[in-house]
Amino acid sequence: MYVGVDVGGTYTDAVLLRNGAVGATAKIPTRSNLLESVLEALDIVLKDVDTRDIKRIVFSTTMITNLIAGKKYDKVALLLIPGPGMNLKYYDFKTDVIILSGAIDYRGREIVPLNEREIEEALVSLAEKGYRKVGVVGKFSPRNSAHEKRVAEIIKEKYPDWHVELGFQAGPQLNFPRRAVTTFLTCATREPYNTFVNSVKEALAKRNITAEVFILKADAGTLPLENSVEQPVETIFSGPSASTLGVEALTPPDVTEVAVDVGGTTTDIALILDGQPLLSAKGARVDGQLTQVRTLAVKSVPVGGDSVLELAGEEIVFRAERLGPAYCMGGPAPTPTDALRVLGLTSLGDEGKAREAMENLGSPLGMSALETAEKVTDLVVSSITNEIKKMFKEWEQEPAYRIWELLHKKKVKPSIVVGVGGGAEGFIKRIAQELGCKPVTPPYAAVANAIGAAVARPTLQLSLRADTEQGYYIIREDGIQEKISRHSFNEQKALELAKERLLQKAAGYGLKVAPEEIEITYQEVFNMIRGWSTVGRLYDLTVQTPGGIALRVEMGGK
Amino acid sequence: MQDPGNKKTGLIFFPAFDWAISPTHPEREERLLYTRDQIFEEGIMDLPEISEYAPVLAKTHDIARTHFCVPRVEDRITEAHLIAAGAAILLAEEIISGRLKNGFALVRPPGHHSMRVVHGNRGFCNINNEAIMVDYLRRHHGIKRIAIVDTDVHHGDGTQDIFWHDPDVLFISFHQDGRTIYPGTGFADELGGPKAFARTINIPLPPGTTDESILYIVDNLILPILEDFKPEFIVNSAGQDNHFTDPLGSMKFTAQGYARLTEKLKPDLAVLEGGYAIETALPYVNMGIILALAGLDYSSVLEPDLQDLRESGEISGYIRRIVETHLKNWEKRDEAFAASQTIKGDFFQEKKRIYYDTEGISEYRSEKLRICDDCPGYLTIETSASRHFDSSGTALCISIPFTACSSCSAEAHDLYEKTKKTREYRYMYLQDKPQDIFLSYDFNTGKELRSEG
Ligand SMILES: [Zn+2]
Ligand SMILES: [Zn+2]
């Protein structure tokens, strides 16, 4: 049995999957205490279940989102080692920043050494300002983390109780400003997140639940609860991952589809291309700042079933605000749900009240209730379909750096539009029609997010970079650096090494992965020529355990 | 064209990581690898002032509008060339349409050594990205006056050749003295064809010239000339091999110098040309150019091994003299110029021998420009190339310029039709720029191909 729990902004959903079918579902309003919400939903779906039969529980929570949005964390300072290049005045890291001397280049070579006295002075000034949490971030630190590590050592010596996060671990991709932001957020959220994880563990223990527990990430993979504290920021924005995986689990495999999650005041759109949820080319934007957090390419349109409709001159417009439920369900103002009710596209609420809402809205423009309802539906549908078309276009226009890639870019067209979430049903037919697709509203659409959480698989990534001229390789995520032989090292060896390291890491996480299951997601080899002869090779590899979903859910349920 | 507002700088980064002339050639996969690392690590693509575009492929017709590829366009290029030219065209269109402030096609392969006729690769170039883009703009956007400033260490002999007779395209190139470097041309007395005097300006520089002298030339020669010429669009052939660490050049430019140059020149579009110090120069020079185009502070973009670079007083003296000479040439630009001894009747004739270093090809050309009072005149080129003593036969190329008068156009078409009936050549081409038609005729098969824009 698999259990999925998705704590959303408004509702907390849970499902129990038994033999590939939905066994129980729960939907409760999310409380201010997230743990309470999790447990309440969990208790509903686990009623009458022998906890020993549960194989896996996956949580998707807004924990980190709430922490960051509410700035409910201790203050964090940044010690940056940018070296020459971009002027840092263009960045606002929204905290105290001290620039340290030192520089590393693109191949991980030291250009400028650290100045230890300067570091000590920086620490004194941070201590005076009351900082106890510090992110240390160097430019090109994923290529050589020695400077960051040395600064951490000095901090440990002088201020052993400080909490330090290093850039090469928090932000291992090439992008220094994003690395700084990601490191800041990691440092800020780690401790409160840790507390949350511990209380989840306690609560589960109290219920005698011994199943493996995972946390869903923004990239639709999961991490064991235990290990998720290493990269807490990765669990941000897991809600859209949950619904997207839910759509994948509820529809046929290998299709190109659009998942449309119509909520109260926002609609989330995600793309699944040939059965693979589309990842954003760069990292997530968190609280207005760009990060290195891997995330699905999800777009939000500020309209939903409960959006408030009003007139702006001669135009009907919607406000991204919820005053209450739809008018037809006793709410105060006309909403898109009322329009759907008038058109017979939903059976929610009272038809008479819905007509009244549309009439009140449209009469100043001389429109009947039916005309108004049509107009409103068109408005909502076009704002969603325009965004969908834009997403496909953006995907097609993503830069490519190789001829092969550019020539093999294909135009993709979705074949189905899948509606999930409370308000989806009524709009999905129209959206699909507009895009020339088949509309699908699967059973359990309302808890697709929890289903998505339940079927999510753990994913682990590992990146290896070898520079045979300098005679070493590094594992980017761990900052491990080891010597290699300049002459006998080759691509095959690089790959074996990366796979071996990944398997070790997986074992450390308690995950069973077969070597043949490992996917290579990035592979780059360059000959380094100086003069007219080859002096070495550069290998860059990323391998990961297979992503995707653990199982498909029977359409009919049980 | 400059209308900064809050428009962005468009960037197409196409390093062609899967293309090389040969595995150890300077023009190889690795060339822009460290530049990529630097601009990605600096987060350049995330800047609100920058907009990154994916390149598109140019059409073969876009190539044929500018070049005579023998025997056909498809035989002389690869997809990489279409992508590099397509990138320049795409950015130019965005700039002309007002969607971008300016742009940088950070692409390879380069193109400024490619001449009108293309028998193969010379100086690492097959087709001339900037010239193709310029002709595209003239055709599709009615742009007339264009300036191309070539800042590569090598003389932009291809671009010079293509616009030699064109009074509407100003070509300015500064480069290391041709007596000391490939391609051995670009001397101060190469000033353009009889109808385009001083629309070609060459500033050969002694080895060891520094930022200071270059910026002196920009301030005292290039900017005043541009001010007079009033181009609607400025292109920078942004070669980076003037850098003090370049293995092919012997100059003393820095990243700061290149950035400052860009800031002064304010090109609408910069297109990467050469630059082979792939680790010590390119990551920094490219970044300096991008930041300068975007109007951002580039003062901390410094090479790790930057030293105090000085030049001899002799160089500074020479620089002042050549600036004087060219300012005088520029003043005389509209006086009729014709070396009378070379003009026979209605035609101006020149013979050229062109060597293709990369492929060991020798090309012999005989060019005739129709001297016309109403237009720049059409041009005919007889060309034959031999590869290891194996001649490909002679081709006749006829080019009708954008601003041709109707009688020159008619005469050129007549010539094409008449020549078809002879068996003097192996191939014949007609490039009709005003009508945007390209004809090619194969004398062996009697087949004609026609393409229209
Ligand atoms: Zn060059
Ligand atoms: Zn004429």
Side-chain angles (χ1 to χ4, degrees):
Chain A
M1 281 188 293
Y2 293 85
V3 175
V5 183
D6 177 34
V7 185
T10 320
Y11 293 105
T12 295
D13 297 309
V15 297
L16 173 81
L17 297 182
R18 190 185 278 132
N19 304 323
V22 175
T25 68
K27 192 183 239 347
I28 56 155
T30 299
R31 324 249 174 251
S32 58
N33 182 330
L34 293 185
L35 185 61
E36 267 176 35
S37 313
V38 168
L39 296 174
E40 190 182 339
L42 200 58
D43 288 341
I44 297 173
V45 294
L46 293 186
K47 203 164 73 120
D48 311 324
V49 167
D50 184 343
T51 52
R52 282 171 304 182
D53 294 340
I54 307 169
K55 184 172 165 13
R56 180 192 299 167
I57 300 179
V58 183
F59 294 113
S60 152
T61 87
T62 52
M63 162 73 195
I64 292 292
T65 315
N66 294 356
L67 261 181
I68 293 172
K71 306 236 181 313
K72 293 174 202 145
Y73 48 76
D74 299 339
K75 58 181 187 172
V76 176
L78 285 173
L79 288 176
L80 302 183
I81 318 165
M86 195 69 196
N87 192 316
L88 282 184
K89 72 181 174 199
Y90 296 114
Y91 298 101
D92 176 11
F93 293 112
K94 297 178 181 171
T95 187
D96 275 315
V97 172
I98 297 181
I99 307 286
L100 300 178
S101 309
I104 302 283
D105 79 356
Y106 40 80
R107 279 185 64 200
R109 296 169 297 209
E110 182 181 74
I111 309 173
V112 180
L114 290 172
N115 175 342
E116 305 219 344
R117 240 188 93 156
E118 182 191 82
I119 297 166
E120 284 164 25
E121 282 164 16
L123 296 180
V124 169
S125 100
L126 290 182
E128 277 167 5
K129 287 184 181 162
Y131 283 101
R132 299 165 59 86
K133 291 190 177 178
V134 186
V136 181
V137 187
K139 197 174 283 175
F140 285 116
S141 66
R143 296 276 162 94
N144 179 353
S145 50
H147 281 180
E148 286 182 0
K149 285 177 177 160
R150 178 64 196 137
V151 175
E153 265 173 34
I154 296 174
I155 298 175
K156 199 162 183 206
E157 224 171 86
K158 307 269 171 194
Y159 302 93
D161 57 333
W162 282 19
H163 173 185
V164 182
E165 293 289 340
L166 302 186
F168 80 93
Q169 282 167 325
Q173 311 287 332
L174 281 188
N175 192 315
F176 174 68
R178 286 179 186 248
R179 182 176 312 122
V181 173
T182 313
T183 309
F184 172 90
L185 292 172
T186 304
C187 195
T189 55
R190 168 111 67 190
E191 198 179 286
Y193 182 78
N194 212 352
T195 312
F196 172 76
V197 165
N198 285 334
S199 45
V200 170
K201 279 199 276 193
E202 259 170 54
L204 293 177
K206 239 184 245 168
R207 285 163 175 74
N208 292 321
I209 295 172
T210 51
E212 43 187 18
V213 182
F214 291 87
I215 289 279
L216 191 64
K217 298 186 295 174
D219 67 355
T222 67
L223 272 178
L225 182 65
E226 196 77 31
N227 304 92
S228 65
V229 295
E230 290 166 21
Q231 302 285 0
V233 198
E234 289 186 359
T235 69
I236 201 167
F237 305 145
S238 57
S241 296
S243 353
T244 309
L245 289 172
V247 165
E248 212 187 322
L250 292 165
T251 53
D254 305 329
V255 291
T256 292
E257 53 192 334
V258 184
V260 181
D261 186 346
V262 186
T265 57
T266 56
T267 296
D268 287 338
I269 305 164
L271 307 185
I272 298 177
L273 308 179
D274 295 329
Q276 300 288 327
L278 178 64
L279 281 165
S280 158
K282 293 177 178 174
R285 187 184 280 274
V286 178
D287 204 22
Q289 288 184 293
L290 296 169
T291 72
Q292 288 196 10
V293 175
R294 252 164 61 105
T295 175
L296 294 189
V298 179
K299 285 280 169 72
S300 280
V301 184
V303 64
D306 300 340
S307 297
V308 179
L309 293 166
E310 59 190 14
L311 290 185
E314 301 278 281
E315 295 280 328
I316 298 173
V317 296
F318 49 78
R319 261 197 286 155
E321 191 186 347
R322 184 177 190 269
L323 293 180
Y327 193 79
C328 65
M329 293 165 83
T335 67
T337 303
D338 297 309
L340 293 178
R341 186 68 181 92
V342 169
L343 298 176
L345 292 170
T346 180
S347 51
L348 291 171
D350 177 68
E351 199 195 338
K353 295 274 282 179
R355 282 193 160 279
E356 196 185 313
M358 287 300 104
E359 229 157 62
N360 291 345
L361 180 68
S363 61
L365 305 177
M367 284 169 26
S368 71
L370 199 65
E371 283 167 342
T372 311
E374 279 291 353
K375 182 105 193 157
V376 168
T377 309
D378 283 351
L379 183 68
V380 174
V381 167
S382 67
S383 52
I384 294 171
T385 52
N386 285 344
E387 191 59 49
I388 294 173
K389 288 177 193 163
K390 216 171 105 191
M391 286 175 79
F392 275 101
K393 195 155 182 218
E394 274 171 20
W395 181 75
E396 280 162 20
Q397 292 181 345
E398 205 118 279
Y401 304 118
R402 283 175 177 72
I403 298 159
W404 186 91
E405 269 175 76
L406 198 71
L407 297 181
H408 287 77
K409 269 196 172 182
K410 47 177 186 176
K411 246 186 143 59
V412 291
K413 238 187 94 42
S415 55
I416 57 178
V417 173
V418 188
V420 293
E425 202 187 344
F427 291 114
I428 256 7
K429 274 199 188 103
R430 291 287 181 94
I431 294 169
Q433 201 176 13
E434 185 85 358
L435 297 170
C437 295
K438 205 178 106 198
V440 174
T441 307
Y444 303 112
V447 289
N449 50 343
I451 292 175
V455 300
R457 293 176 77 174
T459 48
L460 277 183
Q461 271 204 324
L462 185 131
S463 306
L464 178 141
R465 177 181 167 90
D467 182 328
T468 66
E469 192 198 24
Q470 296 191 74
Y472 67 80
Y473 76 86
I474 52 174
I475 302 293
R476 208 161 60 189
E477 290 82 354
D478 307 331
I480 291 170
Q481 176 168 337
E482 287 192 17
K483 284 204 167 89
I484 47 174
S485 147
R486 204 171 293 194
H487 305 291
S488 63
F489 197 80
N490 58 30
E491 195 167 8
Q492 191 53 38
K493 285 199 174 140
L495 206 52
E496 279 165 19
L497 203 55
K499 287 184 177 179
E500 191 187 304
R501 289 283 189 174
L502 183 65
L503 291 174
Q504 279 169 13
K505 194 169 172 180
Y509 281 23
L511 303 176
K512 280 187 208 87
V513 179
E516 62 276 11
E517 281 182 309
I518 295 176
E519 296 167 358
I520 303 165
T521 54
Y522 190 81
Q523 192 166 14
E524 191 176 271
V525 183
F526 283 96
N527 288 322
M528 281 180 280
I529 319 282
R530 297 298 173 265
W532 291 87
S533 54
T534 307
V535 295
R537 282 194 179 78
L538 282 172
Y539 300 93
D540 251 306
L541 295 171
T542 302
V543 289
Q544 70 174 29
T545 61
I549 52 174
L551 65 148
R552 257 164 228 296
V553 175
E554 281 174 36
M555 283 291 236
K558 224 188 176 168
Chain B
M1 275 298 116
Q2 294 288 327
D3 169 24
N6 39 21
K7 282 182 210 158
K8 299 185 179 202
T9 293
L11 190 58
I12 292 182
F13 178 58
F14 192 74
F17 284 146
D18 48 356
W19 187 87
I21 287 178
S22 70
T24 57
H25 196 280
E27 199 50 74
R28 63 176 182 276
E29 296 89 340
E30 187 195 359
R31 186 170 162 227
L32 292 175
L33 178 61
Y34 313 106
T35 295
R36 174 201 63 185
D37 289 351
Q38 192 74 35
I39 62 183
F40 281 21
E41 175 69 354
E42 297 279 9
I44 297 280
M45 302 304 194
D46 288 339
L47 291 170
E49 292 84 359
I50 302 287
S51 178
E52 187 185 11
Y53 285 65
V56 292
L57 277 73
K59 297 189 180 70
T60 51
H61 182 80
D62 295 328
I63 315 303
R65 188 186 290 118
T66 300
H67 289 291
F68 296 103
C69 293
V70 186
R72 294 173 313 153
V73 173
E74 293 80 356
D75 299 306
R76 291 292 154 244
I77 58 158
T78 63
E79 284 112 351
H81 300 102
L82 290 176
I83 295 168
I89 291 176
L90 173 62
L91 285 177
E93 281 222 285
E94 291 290 295
I95 295 157
I96 286 289
S97 316
R99 286 184 287 271
L100 288 175
K101 169 181 145 187
N102 53 25
F104 187 12
L106 223 177
V107 298
R108 50 182 292 268
H112 74 148
H113 295 304
S114 297
M115 301 190 168
R116 262 183 210 270
V117 181
V118 176
H119 289 280
N121 184 298
R122 65 184 297 276
F124 314 170
C125 307
N126 287 52
I127 54 172
N128 195 309
N129 302 323
E130 291 90 320
I132 291 164
M133 177 268 295
V134 162
D135 279 350
Y136 182 95
L137 282 188
R138 294 209 279 184
R139 169 63 200 162
H140 290 278
H141 296 275
I143 301 289
K144 198 174 173 216
R145 296 165 83 77
I146 292 172
I148 303 172
V149 180
D150 189 317
T151 54
D152 192 280
V153 79
H154 302 99
H155 175 223
D157 56 346
T159 315
Q160 168 168 311
D161 178 63
I162 292 169
F163 298 109
W164 185 250
H165 293 298
D166 195 329
D168 295 322
V169 176
L170 172 64
F171 175 68
I172 303 176
S173 177
F174 64 69
H175 41 261
Q176 189 176 321
D177 190 324
R179 288 169 299 188
T180 62
I181 198 169
Y182 179 89
T185 53
F187 298 102
D189 59 354
E190 296 167 35
L191 284 158
K195 300 290 255 179
F197 180 72
R199 265 47 160 215
T200 293
I201 293 194
N202 283 297
I203 308 136
L205 303 172
T209 304
T210 61
D211 290 346
E212 201 190 322
S213 280
I214 285 306
L215 297 173
Y216 178 86
I217 291 169
V218 172
D219 286 333
N220 296 286
L221 180 64
I222 299 180
L223 293 181
I225 287 181
L226 289 175
E227 179 79 9
D228 282 346
F229 185 72
K230 295 192 176 29
E232 295 162 75
F233 197 82
I234 300 175
V235 184
N236 176 209
S237 292
Q240 307 178 357
D241 32 17
N242 280 299
H243 193 265
F244 67 94
T245 62
D246 194 88
L248 305 185
S250 316
M251 307 298 268
K252 289 187 180 170
F253 281 28
T254 66
Q256 284 293 311
Y258 267 109
R260 191 108 181 81
L261 165 84
T262 309
E263 188 178 56
K264 286 173 178 285
L265 191 61
K266 293 190 177 41
D268 292 288
L269 179 61
V271 180
L272 177 67
E273 283 298 337
Y276 301 95
I278 63 174
E279 291 206 65
T280 48
L282 266 55
Y284 309 100
V285 177
N286 278 310
M287 201 176 146
I289 293 177
I290 295 169
L291 295 182
L293 285 172
L296 296 167
D297 181 354
Y298 53 78
S299 59
S300 333
V301 180
L302 303 168
E303 303 87 332
D305 45 359
L306 191 60
Q307 323 130 12
D308 187 17
L309 298 162
R310 282 164 204 250
E311 66 188 17
S312 69
E314 233 170 282
I315 293 180
S316 328
Y318 162 80
I319 297 289
R320 274 155 183 76
R321 287 195 300 279
I322 193 160
V323 165
E324 281 307 306
T325 309
H326 273 317
L327 285 174
K328 284 193 191 118
N329 286 331
W330 178 247
E331 266 166 37
K332 286 187 297 190
R333 67 190 175 280
D334 292 328
E335 288 168 26
F337 164 84
S340 54
Q341 68 274 21
T342 54
I343 299 191
K344 282 186 203 140
D346 297 334
F347 292 92
F348 168 81
Q349 297 200 28
E350 274 181 304
K351 285 198 194 306
K352 290 179 184 165
R353 181 171 172 263
I354 293 145
Y355 184 62
Y356 290 60
D357 60 324
T358 321
E359 298 187 41
I361 301 169
S362 290
E363 182 194 356
Y364 297 90
R365 277 203 215 165
S366 171
E367 301 190 0
K368 277 163 73 178
L369 179 75
R370 180 73 163 92
I371 298 295
C372 172
D373 288 338
D374 302 321
C375 78
Y378 68 89
L379 182 74
T380 66
I381 305 171
E382 280 183 6
T383 171
S384 64
S386 59
R387 233 175 266 250
H388 317 295
F389 308 107
D390 175 18
S391 174
S392 61
T394 306
L396 178 68
C397 313
I398 308 168
S399 182
I400 307 172
F402 281 103
T403 50
C405 70
S406 54
S407 78
C408 278
S409 284
E411 204 177 301
H413 276 275
D414 258 12
L415 174 66
Y416 177 82
E417 290 305 327
K418 269 189 211 137
T419 310
K420 257 192 196 174
K421 297 186 186 95
T422 73
R423 299 204 55 89
E424 278 176 62
Y425 303 102
R426 176 70 184 84
Y427 304 100
M428 178 169 59
Y429 310 94
L430 177 72
Q431 202 174 52
D432 183 338
K433 296 192 188 192
Q435 292 196 70
D436 207 14
I437 294 168
F438 183 76
L439 299 174
S440 78
Y441 186 76
D442 182 330
F443 284 88
N444 280 7
T445 61
K447 266 194 191 143
E448 180 172 272
L449 292 173
R450 179 188 174 92
S451 89
E452 279 178 55

